[in-house]
């Protein structure tokens, strides 16, 4: 399921689940938001790259996934 988190909620959730999840940062790498808000320990896979191939290669199959996107339209891209 998908849920929007505030920054504080996100940090708390990740700290509680850090051994159970991986963070997949889907924000554009050239985007200023990404540059100033890098998430330590996250895997960066820009949607403009070969998203499916890279994410399937880098994600651990037995861990949950937290997707980080900066706009709802990006989430729609992922779901569709």
């Amino acid at each position: 399921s998908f849920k929007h988190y505030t920054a504080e909620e996100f940090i708390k959730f990740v700290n509680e689940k850090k051994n159970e999840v991986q963070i997949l940062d889907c924000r554009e790498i050239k985007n200023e938001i990404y540059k100033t808000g890098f998430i330590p320990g996250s895997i960066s896979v820009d949607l403009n790259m070969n998203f499916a191939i890279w994410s399937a290669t880098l994600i651990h199959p037995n861990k949950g996934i937290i997707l980080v996107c900066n706009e709802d339209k990006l989430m729609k891209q992922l779901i569709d």
Side-chain angles (χ1 to χ4, degrees):
S1 67
F2 292 95
K3 181 178 186 222
H4 292 270
Y5 288 94
T6 65
E8 293 80 18
E9 291 171 330
F10 177 80
I11 292 167
K12 182 180 177 189
F13 181 80
V14 169
N15 285 334
E16 291 171 356
K17 304 286 185 180
K18 62 184 164 192
N19 294 324
E20 302 170 34
V21 298
Q22 287 181 299
I23 303 169
L24 188 60
D25 192 340
C26 303
R27 298 175 292 171
E28 289 184 62
I29 295 169
K30 63 184 177 184
N31 187 315
E32 200 59 38
I33 294 171
Y34 174 82
K35 291 178 186 175
T36 59
F38 173 74
I39 303 166
S42 67
I43 299 170
S44 179
V45 180
D46 189 327
L47 288 175
N48 294 325
M49 299 163 63
N50 292 325
F51 180 78
I53 294 169
W54 278 108
S55 56
T57 302
L58 298 171
I59 294 173
H60 192 284
N62 296 325
K63 288 190 176 186
I65 301 168
I66 299 174
L67 295 175
V68 177
C69 301
N70 58 351
E71 295 182 18
D72 288 336
K73 68 182 179 180
L74 294 179
M75 285 300 297
K76 183 174 177 358
Q77 253 184 325
L78 293 171
I79 296 167
D80 291 343

